[in-house]
């Protein structure tokens, strides 16, 4: 009898979940929270968005947890950063998701890097003696609001293609987002005019796009090569370089260990800036708020205050 | 002995039910709501994907489309293309292959990678009791394996994966199978030669292991290579709100190194489905928090054994994997706990033998490049129906409990190379004194960057 009740409950639960109506027209899953924030900005209430990685996570190393495959199973669109950023984990999830829509080269898969101007494409022979290189170029383009805008346009086109009846709404949202972002960008550039030509130390090669946008000069990285942790002799040489060139600040993402960076910053001396690797989408942060927060931290550092 | 049943045992029914369930569920409803949008014109469309027809089209129009398609198919048959199929063109900018510099793979159709495992070893015993095919087995230097992995998408419907293992004595096709990409109803089929999904460790390769050698449980129950065979597997992702995957497979039950508790090295012919090894697995995943995950699996396998007419072997297993990895803050810590148990029941002439093998291990990655791990293993001798220890036809010397404790330290210069120092104490109850062993293993991975499974 008890078994029968259990079975009945299970069947009821099953039919409920199978028949649960979607709240939005499109179910979008992105690999990183920045892309989720951009998608939400242009999709508005017509899209339900989820990011696989958290902003506190290094997007190179995400565990391919089965519950993430479950999210992909129910997705209409998967948006990835591309350039091999997710190569260590996304393919596993795509295959486990059993959802042909989101496989590479189907309309439900969008590689956002095609919309960005890619920097640091390695020239000559590429092999792993260079460290963890990205043969297609540097994938951290979402730090540059100009690239983010291009990506938002690309996302809008794809949303409109998959969901034509809301195309007008997506385009209107994009226009509004473009306005806000461009206004904000003018303000940011004004506040950070002092970054032009400033020598900066960073932990990992994530600063290419920030530097391209703000005009500062990444003179050295604490990692001897991408993905290789700092070692004493290399850190010593970085410190010497930083002192010699009067580095203005040390930049590090919040997901990297910061003890070495703190030490180097105190020895230069220069302020340490811990930047969030992405938008805290889960807590409701928008892309513009994320960059604004980042700009605030850089501004403080220019004034000689670390955080 | 009337108690020795000549019928297929309970496990057979369990497995059949799981297999049937997962096949019958093809009719299960779609979990995702039908999209309201017409598929884009450029979409190649997957016949397998059950798309609800867009609301804007009338039934007559749909019928006209089907007619037109039918006519096109007919005329296409007269000038069918030969040669390679082309990938579907998804959308003007959607085809990543056509954007230079966006993918590193370009138009390279095969992902190739080589994995080399070599180890120096020292054993206190003249005859070490290593049961794994890739374990170091002798004093001095051992080539554990040179594994060539080749994987690729075949077309919109299949993906191909293979692992060829080179040893000093030849080449072995460890795995070579196709996986469907576009079946409806959350189904996925694998066909070819593959490692069965029994338990957690069996379907994986040494590259993914936390230890230099394989737990003896797998070598004793399934064989030195782990349980694999030619066959087919159906798996179904249930529409439940948490991750529940049902897997059923039918594989060839022969091979001393791959199915030793079943037909093993004997040359039995397959006369009915009962002569195949049937495996059923339920995998469940629970994200307990952002930082803690739990994976729990139940497995059962049944197949004929070579000890006599219609004698069968059943293996029941459970596996637990607990993973702690902080992702809400900067941390390189990773702590995993993994345990598996295998309960084996074999019909032999005049008796039914049962034994239990298990291992439990914990690994702690305490910095970006360093980890340490410890493992405990247990294997009981075979007991007959009366509960008394009897001679195990496969391992006649295994008359008492065997316990082994191993501990290691691992250093990864990068994620593509690994050095591992491991020591073990092996207490085989039938030997007078414990055996000791030390390994120093090197692994190098070169070629395409493989994606890591969970």
């Amino acid at each position: 009898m008890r078994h029968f009740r259990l079975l009945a409950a299970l069947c009821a639960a099953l039919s409920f979940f199978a028949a649960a109506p979607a709240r939005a027209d499109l179910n979008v899953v992105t690999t990183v929270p920045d892309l989720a924030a951009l998608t939400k900005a242009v999709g508005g209430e017509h899209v339900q968005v989820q990011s696989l990685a958290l902003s506190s996570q290094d997007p190179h190393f995400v565990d391919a947890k089965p519950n993430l495959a479950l999210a992909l199973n129910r997705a209409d669109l998967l948006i990835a950063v591309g350039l091999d950023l997710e190569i260590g984990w996304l393919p596993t999830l795509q295959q486990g998701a059993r959802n042909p829509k989101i496989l590479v080269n189907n309309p439900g898969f969008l590689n956002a890097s095609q919309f960005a101007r890619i920097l640091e494409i390695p020239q000559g022979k590429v092999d792993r003696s260079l460290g963890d290189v990205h043969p297609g170029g540097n994938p951290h383009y979402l730090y540059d609001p100009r690239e983010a805008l291009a990506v938002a346009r690309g996302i809008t086109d794809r949303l409109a293609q998959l969901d034509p009846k809301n195309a007008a709404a997506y385009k209107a949202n994009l226009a509004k987002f473009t306005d806000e972002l461009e206004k904000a960008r003018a303000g940011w550039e004004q506040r950070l005019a002092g970054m032009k030509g400033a020598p900066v130390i960073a932990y990992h090669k994530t600063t290419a796009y920030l530097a391209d946008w703000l005009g500062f000069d990444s003179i050295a990285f604490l990692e001897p090569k991408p993905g290789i942790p700092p070692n004493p002799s290399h850190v010593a040489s970085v410190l010497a370089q930083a002192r010699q060139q009067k580095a203005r600040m040390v930049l590090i993402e919040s997901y990297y260990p910061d003890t070495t960076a703190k030490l180097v910053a105190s020895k230069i001396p220069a302020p340490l800036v811990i930047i969030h690797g992405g938008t805290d989408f889960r807590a409701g942060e928008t892309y513009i708020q994320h960059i604004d927060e980042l700009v605030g931290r850089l501004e403080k550092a220019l004034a000689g205050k670390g955080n | 002995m009337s108690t020795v049943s000549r019928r297929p045992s309970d496990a057979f029914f369990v497995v059949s039910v799981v297999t049937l369930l997962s096949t019958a569920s093809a009719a299960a409803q779609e979990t995702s709501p039908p999209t309201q949008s017409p598929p884009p014109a450029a979409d190649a469309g997957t016949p397998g994907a059950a798309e609800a027809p867009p609301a804007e089209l009338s039934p007559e129009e749909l019928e006209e489309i089907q007619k037109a398609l039918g006519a096109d198919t007919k005329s296409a048959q007269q000038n069918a293309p030969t040669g390679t199929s082309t990938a579907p063109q998804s959308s003007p900018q959607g085809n990543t292959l056509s954007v230079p510099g966006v993918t590193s793979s370009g138009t390279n159709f095969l992902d190739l990678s080589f994995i080399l495992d070599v180890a120096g070893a020292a054993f206190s015993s003249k005859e070490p009791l290593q049961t794994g095919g890739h374990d170091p087995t002798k004093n001095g230097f051992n080539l554990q394996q040179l594994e060539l992995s080749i994987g690729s998408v075949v077309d919109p419907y299949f993906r191909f994966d293979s692992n060829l293992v080179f040893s000093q004595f030849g080449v072995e096709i460890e795995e070579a199978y196709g996986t469907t990409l576009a079946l409806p109803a959350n189904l996925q089929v694998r066909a070819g030669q593959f490692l069965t999904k029994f338990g957690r460790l069996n379907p994986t390769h040494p590259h993914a292991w936390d230890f230099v050698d394989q737990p003896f449980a797998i070598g004793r129950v399934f064989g030195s290579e782990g349980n694999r065979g030619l066959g087919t597997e159906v798996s179904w992702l249930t529409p439940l709100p948490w991750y529940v995957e049902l897997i059923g497979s039918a594989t060839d039950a022969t091979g001393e190194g791959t199915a030793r508790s079943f037909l093993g090295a004997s040359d039995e012919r397959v006369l009915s489905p009962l002569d195949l090894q049937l495996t059923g697995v339920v995998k469940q995943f629970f994200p307990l928090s952002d930082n803690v995950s739990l994976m729990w699996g139940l497995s059962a396998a049944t197949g004929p054994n070579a000890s006599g007419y219609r004698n069968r072997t059943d293996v029941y297993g459970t596996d637990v994997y607990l993973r702690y990895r902080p992702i809400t803050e900067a941390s390189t810590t990773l702590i995993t706990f993994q345990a598996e148990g295998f309960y084996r029941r074999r019909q032999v002439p005049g008796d039914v033998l049962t034994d239990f093998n298990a291992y439990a291990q914990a690994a702690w990655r305490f910095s970006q490049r360093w980890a340490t791990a410890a493992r405990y293993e247990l294997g009981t001798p075979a007991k007959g129906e009366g509960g008394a220890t009897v001679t195990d036809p496969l391992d006649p010397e295994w008359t008492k409990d065997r316990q082994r404790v191993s501990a290691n330290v691992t250093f990864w210069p990068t994620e593509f190379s690994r050095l591992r120092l491991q020591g073990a104490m092996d207490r085989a109850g039938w030997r007078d004194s414990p055996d000791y062993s030390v390994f120093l293993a090197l692994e190098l991975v070169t070629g395409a960057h493989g994606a890591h499974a969970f």
Side-chain angles (χ1 to χ4, degrees):
Chain A
M1 186 67 211
R2 231 183 63 218
H3 286 294
F4 176 76
R5 272 218 297 260
L6 189 72
L7 190 71
L10 193 68
C11 290
L14 260 177
S15 53
F16 170 77
F17 286 109
R23 287 182 319 233
D25 298 325
L26 278 182
N27 182 343
V28 184
V29 174
T30 68
T31 56
V32 300
D34 281 352
L35 289 172
L38 293 173
T39 307
K40 194 69 197 170
V42 296
E45 78 257 22
H46 300 294
V47 297
Q48 195 185 339
V49 191
Q50 183 184 346
S51 165
L52 296 175
L54 297 177
S55 59
S56 51
Q57 242 178 315
D58 182 346
H60 295 87
F61 302 103
V62 174
D63 287 341
K65 292 182 192 173
N67 61 321
L68 302 182
L70 215 52
L72 287 180
N73 173 262
R74 291 153 200 187
D76 302 307
L77 173 62
L78 165 63
I79 307 177
V81 171
L83 300 174
D84 288 357
L85 179 71
E86 302 101 341
I87 195 170
W89 52 280
L90 190 60
T92 308
L93 292 174
Q94 277 175 287
Q95 202 184 324
R98 294 166 173 70
N99 178 358
K101 281 190 223 167
I102 54 141
L103 294 177
V104 174
N105 296 335
N106 282 353
F109 177 78
L110 183 62
N111 180 337
S113 67
Q114 64 191 287
F115 308 114
R117 229 171 13 99
I118 303 304
L119 304 175
E120 292 186 353
I121 298 174
Q123 302 302 319
K125 188 170 158 41
V126 175
D127 66 26
R128 293 202 178 109
S129 65
L130 302 166
D132 215 346
V133 284
H134 293 276
N138 188 317
H140 304 286
Y141 52 83
L142 289 165
Y143 282 119
D144 182 344
R146 298 169 305 180
E147 304 308 329
L149 189 56
V151 169
R153 272 189 219 114
I155 292 175
T156 305
D157 290 346
R158 186 58 62 92
L159 292 179
Q161 181 193 336
L162 292 175
D163 181 19
K165 72 176 193 319
N166 290 320
Y170 297 140
K171 292 205 167 68
N173 289 341
L174 175 67
K176 190 162 153 272
F177 176 71
T178 308
D179 263 7
E180 284 174 22
L181 187 67
E182 289 300 299
K183 265 205 202 82
R185 189 161 68 89
W188 294 330
E189 286 167 4
Q190 216 170 8
R191 283 160 65 190
L192 293 181
M195 288 294 282
K196 281 219 173 25
V200 168
I201 304 291
Y203 184 86
H204 180 85
K205 283 199 146 187
T206 43
T207 52
Y209 295 90
L210 259 186
D212 182 69
W213 173 43
L214 299 170
F216 65 82
D217 187 8
S218 309
I219 54 172
F221 298 94
L222 288 171
E223 285 185 332
K225 285 176 177 174
I228 311 273
N231 61 58
S233 64
H234 177 74
V235 171
S237 79
V238 170
L239 182 55
Q241 250 178 305
R243 277 181 176 160
Q244 189 207 343
Q245 303 193 30
K246 297 199 173 51
R248 295 285 304 272
M249 60 186 77
V250 178
L251 280 187
I252 181 168
E253 260 98 357
S254 59
Y255 46 73
Y256 290 120
D258 61 2
T259 321
T260 313
K262 269 190 185 135
L263 178 79
V264 170
S266 68
K267 294 265 182 207
I268 294 176
L272 175 72
V273 186
I274 296 175
I275 54 178
H276 288 303
T279 310
D280 193 353
F281 181 72
R282 212 167 49 165
E285 194 178 35
T286 65
Y287 179 78
I288 293 178
Q289 286 167 341
H290 157 59
I291 299 293
D292 195 58
E293 200 254 2
L294 172 64
V295 168
R297 286 175 182 236
L298 292 172
E299 200 177 20
K300 269 203 193 125
L302 277 177
K305 292 195 281 282
N307 50 46
Chain B
M1 291 289 259
S2 56
T3 43
V4 180
S5 91
R6 297 230 166 239
R7 307 180 283 108
S9 57
D10 296 350
F12 172 68
F13 290 117
V14 172
V15 171
S16 322
V17 166
V18 170
T19 319
L20 280 176
L21 250 182
S22 48
T23 348
S25 60
Q29 342 178 12
E30 284 270 296
T31 48
S32 53
T35 49
Q36 292 298 305
S37 59
D43 178 15
T46 45
E51 281 278 337
E56 293 87 346
L57 292 187
S58 65
E60 293 79 24
E61 283 173 317
L62 281 173
E63 204 174 313
E64 279 174 51
I65 291 173
Q66 286 191 347
K67 267 205 192 113
L69 284 173
D72 283 351
T73 313
K74 269 209 191 95
S75 65
Q77 274 163 0
Q78 291 150 17
N79 47 16
T82 51
T84 56
S85 58
T86 48
Q89 187 68 26
S90 57
S91 74
Q93 350 88 324
N95 191 342
T96 50
L97 285 182
S98 64
V99 183
V102 165
T103 55
S104 58
S105 46
T107 46
N108 176 6
F109 288 114
L110 283 183
D111 283 337
L112 289 168
S113 65
F114 267 110
I115 299 178
L116 173 69
D117 284 289
V118 287
F123 293 94
S124 66
S125 156
K126 283 203 178 68
E127 290 177 354
L129 294 166
Q130 297 294 132
T131 59
H134 303 295
D135 295 359
T137 48
K138 60 184 200 324
N139 283 332
F141 295 105
N142 293 257
L143 172 67
Q144 292 177 263
Q145 63 159 13
L146 170 61
E147 183 188 321
L148 169 61
S149 296
I150 304 175
S152 161
V153 172
V154 176
D155 57 24
Y157 314 112
F158 288 100
R159 141 162 215 104
F160 167 87
D161 286 285
S162 68
N163 289 287
L164 309 174
V165 170
F166 298 77
S167 74
Q168 279 158 323
F169 314 104
V171 181
E172 191 172 10
I173 300 173
E174 215 164 65
E175 295 194 279
Y177 57 87
T179 310
T180 59
L181 294 177
L183 284 187
N186 287 349
L187 288 166
Q188 195 162 63
V189 173
R190 286 201 298 164
Q193 166 129 314
F194 53 85
L195 287 157
T196 63
K197 294 252 172 84
F198 193 108
R200 174 154 180 93
L201 200 84
N202 188 68
T204 61
H205 292 262
H207 167 62
W209 297 352
D210 289 325
F211 290 82
V212 176
D213 54 353
Q214 181 178 278
F216 64 64
I218 290 184
R220 184 183 180 197
V221 174
F222 293 128
S224 59
E225 295 289 331
N227 186 224
R228 67 165 194 245
L230 274 166
T232 177
E233 170 193 276
V234 178
S235 62
W236 179 51
L237 188 59
T238 66
L240 290 165
W242 76 99
Y243 186 93
V244 183
E245 189 186 4
L246 300 181
I247 303 159
S249 65
T251 47
D252 181 13
T254 56
E256 174 55 32
T258 55
R260 75 191 294 252
S261 298
F262 300 106
L263 292 176
S266 71
D267 274 341
E268 299 276 340
R269 283 187 311 136
V270 176
L271 299 171
S272 81
L274 292 184
D275 297 331
L276 296 168
Q277 180 198 326
L278 299 174
T279 311
V281 181
V282 182
K283 290 249 176 244
Q284 297 189 69
F285 177 80
F286 307 96
L288 302 179
S289 75
D290 284 335
N291 302 336
V292 184
S293 321
L294 174 67
M295 185 100 157
W296 175 46
L298 286 168
S299 314
T302 179
N305 70 38
S307 69
Y309 178 67
R310 290 220 167 157
N311 280 345
R312 300 193 67 79
T313 296
D314 309 321
V315 184
Y316 300 93
T318 185
D319 57 281
V320 173
Y321 178 68
L322 190 67
R323 181 181 178 98
Y324 168 72
R325 183 182 170 211
I327 56 172
T328 45
E329 60 196 42
S331 169
T332 49
T333 301
L334 170 62
I335 297 173
T336 58
F337 172 79
Q338 178 175 326
E340 280 192 74
F342 302 81
Y343 175 76
R344 176 171 57 164
R345 179 178 174 280
R346 283 171 288 169
Q347 295 173 337
V348 295
D351 206 349
V352 175
L353 309 184
T354 53
D355 61 273
F356 176 73
N357 298 276
Y359 74 88
Q361 64 185 52
W364 174 36
R365 193 163 180 157
F366 51 86
S367 83
Q368 189 176 335
R369 294 169 125 175
W370 289 90
T372 181
R375 179 179 67 189
Y376 167 79
E377 299 171 75
L378 168 70
T380 69
K383 292 202 165 56
E385 283 200 286
T389 300
V390 292
T391 307
D392 183 333
L394 293 175
D395 303 293
E397 80 287 0
W398 206 302
T399 51
K400 294 203 171 78
D401 280 0
R402 176 181 174 190
Q403 298 176 69
R404 183 166 68 176
V405 177
S406 316
N408 68 26
V409 172
T410 307
F411 171 65
W412 287 270
T414 67
E415 59 176 316
F416 305 101
S417 56
R418 177 173 85 191
L419 274 166
R420 181 167 281 164
L421 178 65
Q422 181 173 320
M425 182 183 75
D426 193 348
R427 261 191 191 285
W430 59 93
R431 290 192 169 180
D432 300 337
S433 59
D435 298 337
Y436 297 92
S437 60
V438 175
F439 306 138
L440 177 59
L442 168 70
E443 179 176 87
L444 302 173
V445 180
T446 179
H449 190 309
H452 308 282
F454 179 75

